[in-house]
Amino acid sequence: MVAAAVLLGVVALALAWPVPVALARASWPARSPATALALWQGIALGGGLAMIGSLLVFGASPGGSIVGAARDLLPAFTAGPIPGGYGVIHLAALTLAVGLTVHLALNLLSTAIRAERARRRQHRLVDLLAEPAADPSGPRVLSHPVPVAYCVPGIRTATVITEGLVELLDADELRAVVSHERAHLDQFHHLVLLAFRAWHGALPWFPIANRAERAVALLTELLADDRARRETGPEPLRRALVLVGSAGEPGAYADAGGVNPDAGMLEQRLERLEPGRHPLGPVARTASWIATALIVATPVVVLAAVTL
């Protein structure tokens, strides 16, 4: 049990600092954003399981297993003294594991509730201020001079553009922007961002949480760019990014609490559209997917082994 707790602690430490720092600094995620996004999610999930699991397994070690510790300790809450073998350090570890789990769950729930309220408010404003789309699947148009495009996710989705954007861009550029925003909706990027925003909100003192949220936000922008590039080609998208980016696009998910794309993100997106940029090779992609599976599987297997 103690060895398993140490193993999980080492995994948690690696996934809390050196691994995500190295990934955030790497250049290859821009060549395969879907692969990198899966790896970021694996790091977050595996790190959380390892961190909580390490505390839980260490605290339960006198009982021989997690089930054995539960059998020993649960009756003590109502019927008697704590069994021998469980010291203060074990009880503190168990309390911290439970408290951290509850804290993360409640923060995720509150973040989801706030995001849903923001989305409902956005939908009401769009219904009130935007012109109905001629095509039910088309974007809604706001009478506003600033060139802006964004999307509002949820059960009922909306893609919104302004008259300023329509006047600024030609037909192909506008189609690229709309395709980019629809990709955010179709690929459920708001749910991915929600999880990392909740992680950052739950552990604001944790430096890597902010870095992870920003990296994931950039990857979702790159994935949306890929959809637009496939539909319109790279040049219309590049021109639209330059025009809209220099005009101060606020970002598709800024109003829902997501990371607001800045000049640094815009520069990385433009660099990726340069000729001669090649996607990540199949061997490297396969290795990344295997690493993602191992990162998640390791704490799951260890916890399963010490549960009974």
Side-chain angles (χ1 to χ4, degrees), residues 22-231:
L23 182 57
R25 292 176 177 174
S27 59
W28 70 263
R31 298 170 59 192
S32 184
T35 303
L37 185 59
L39 183 55
W40 271 113
Q41 292 178 88
I43 289 171
L45 179 58
L49 288 174
M51 179 170 54
I52 295 171
S54 177
L55 294 168
L56 184 62
V57 171
F58 176 77
S61 58
S65 68
I66 295 175
V67 171
R71 190 182 301 116
D72 292 340
L73 293 174
L74 289 178
F77 282 106
T78 57
I82 296 173
Y86 291 94
V88 173
I89 190 171
H90 298 104
L91 299 178
L94 289 172
T95 302
L96 186 57
V98 173
L100 185 57
T101 301
V102 172
H103 175 63
L104 291 174
L106 290 179
N107 194 272
L108 177 61
L109 179 61
S110 64
T111 302
I113 291 173
R114 289 195 301 270
E116 180 60 26
R117 287 175 178 171
R119 287 195 291 266
R120 290 182 180 180
R121 183 169 60 252
Q122 282 291 326
H123 277 298
R124 288 196 296 268
L125 290 174
V126 169
D127 290 340
L128 180 64
L129 300 176
E131 297 179 7
D135 180 358
S137 62
R140 306 286 298 273
V141 180
L142 284 173
S143 178
H144 198 283
V146 176
V148 171
Y150 64 95
C151 56
V152 187
I155 298 177
R156 180 170 64 95
T157 63
T159 303
V160 183
I161 59 177
T162 62
E163 291 181 349
L165 187 75
V166 176
E167 295 174 359
L168 179 67
L169 304 182
D170 65 27
D172 288 338
E173 294 163 356
L174 187 62
R175 190 156 61 94
V177 170
V178 172
S179 176
H180 174 99
E181 299 302 331
R182 285 177 177 165
H184 282 309
L185 298 174
D186 294 343
Q187 297 173 17
F188 301 101
H189 291 163
H190 61 288
L191 297 180
V192 178
L193 293 171
L194 176 71
F196 282 87
R197 187 161 68 251
W199 182 27
H200 185 199
L203 305 171
W205 44 267
F206 201 35
I208 196 58
N210 176 265
R211 190 173 300 190
E213 185 183 7
R214 177 181 169 79
V216 168
L218 174 60
L219 291 173
T220 61
E221 294 297 324
L222 298 182
L223 285 169
D225 285 346
D226 285 344
R227 164 80 73 83
R229 180 167 54 178
R230 287 194 297 269
E231 293 190 7

Side-chain angles (χ1 to χ4, degrees), residues 4 7-8 49 293-307:
L7 173 60
L8 289 173
L49 288 174
L294 289 175
I295 286 171
V296 177
T298 298
V300 171
V301 170
V302 172
L303 285 171
V306 299
T307 296

Side-chain angles (χ1 to χ4, degrees), residues 214 218 245 249-251 259-269:
R214 177 181 169 79
L218 174 60
E249 182 187 6
V259 173
N260 193 4
D262 54 24
M265 287 190 184
L266 176 61
E267 183 179 351
Q268 290 177 274
R269 292 168 66 188

